[in-house]
Amino acid sequence: MKILNYNRETAVDYAKKWAFLRNPNFYNFDSVGGDCTSFVSQCLYAGSKTMNFSSNGWFYKNGYNKSPSWSGVEFLYQFLINNKSVGPFATKTDINTIKKADIIQLSFDGKTFAHSLFVVDVIDNNITRECFVASHSDDSYYRNLFTYNYQKARFLSIAGVRTF
């Protein structure tokens, strides 16, 4: 198995193109719980070009044939953190080390993580580190993370992509 680089620029370009639109190649989950994690998965796929078709993997064939990790917040987190096989994998990080094309997930009640965001830019200034994100469900591009009203955030850094 080889580890490839994750193409962060391609992933961010995808986010910019589709933040306010829906790619017709993917089902729009807005009416069935939200499209945020599917959008993040689409961005990840644009930058990784590799899916994992195992029973606990990360893949999309159509709206009825996809892994839970493609469109479920907690399932995506578990896949990325625990993936030792094919596809993208991530490590837990924090706001101080998050990078462009990484992922942030939010908990609004402090218990359940319910929203996935795709990082499109990070700006360090002398006072704070600002993350700008793209998302679906609450469509946005280059929205400052600090404009969300959340209780907890978790940060995932995409470490690479495994392939055969």
Side-chain angles (χ1 to χ4, degrees):
M1 196 167 304
K2 296 185 288 188
I3 296 180
L4 305 175
N5 287 329
Y6 170 55
N7 190 327
R8 293 176 182 278
E9 290 305 317
T10 300
V12 170
D13 288 347
Y14 183 95
K16 185 175 184 178
K17 179 175 182 177
W18 294 105
F20 295 104
L21 302 169
R22 298 299 183 267
N23 184 332
N25 294 321
F26 297 96
Y27 183 80
N28 178 355
F29 292 94
D30 279 333
S31 64
V32 288
D35 199 53
C36 65
T37 304
S38 176
F39 174 67
V40 166
S41 285
Q42 292 169 46
C43 296
L44 279 174
Y45 181 65
S48 69
K49 300 293 189 224
T50 306
M51 292 185 188
N52 179 319
F53 290 97
S54 70
S55 59
N56 293 320
W58 173 76
F59 66 89
Y60 179 93
K61 292 182 181 178
N62 61 53
Y64 303 101
N65 188 356
K66 58 158 186 70
S67 63
S69 58
W70 186 270
S71 58
V73 176
E74 191 62 35
F75 292 107
L76 178 62
Y77 174 80
Q78 291 300 327
F79 172 77
L80 290 171
I81 292 299
N82 296 310
N83 183 26
K84 305 289 186 232
S85 186
V86 174
F89 59 99
T91 58
K92 296 176 193 176
T93 189
D94 58 34
I95 197 165
N96 297 313
T97 56
I98 197 86
K99 298 181 292 233
K100 186 188 296 190
D102 283 341
I103 298 168
I104 301 171
Q105 293 184 320
L106 302 179
S107 171
F108 300 108
D109 65 4
K111 298 173 189 157
T112 305
F113 285 88
H115 194 45
S116 296
L117 306 168
F118 188 75
V119 179
V120 296
D121 200 8
V122 179
I123 297 176
D124 286 307
N125 60 44
N126 294 336
I127 300 167
T128 185
R129 191 160 208 253
E130 295 184 274
C131 293
F132 295 90
V133 298
S135 71
H136 274 188
S137 299
D138 182 10
D139 293 7
S140 60
Y141 183 80
Y142 219 85
R143 180 175 172 180
N144 193 314
L145 175 64
F146 297 130
T147 66
Y148 285 89
N149 184 15
Y150 61 92
Q151 296 290 316
K152 288 183 184 175
R154 62 185 176 197
F155 301 85
L156 298 171
S157 177
I158 306 304
V161 181
R162 290 189 188 92
T163 189
F164 289 110

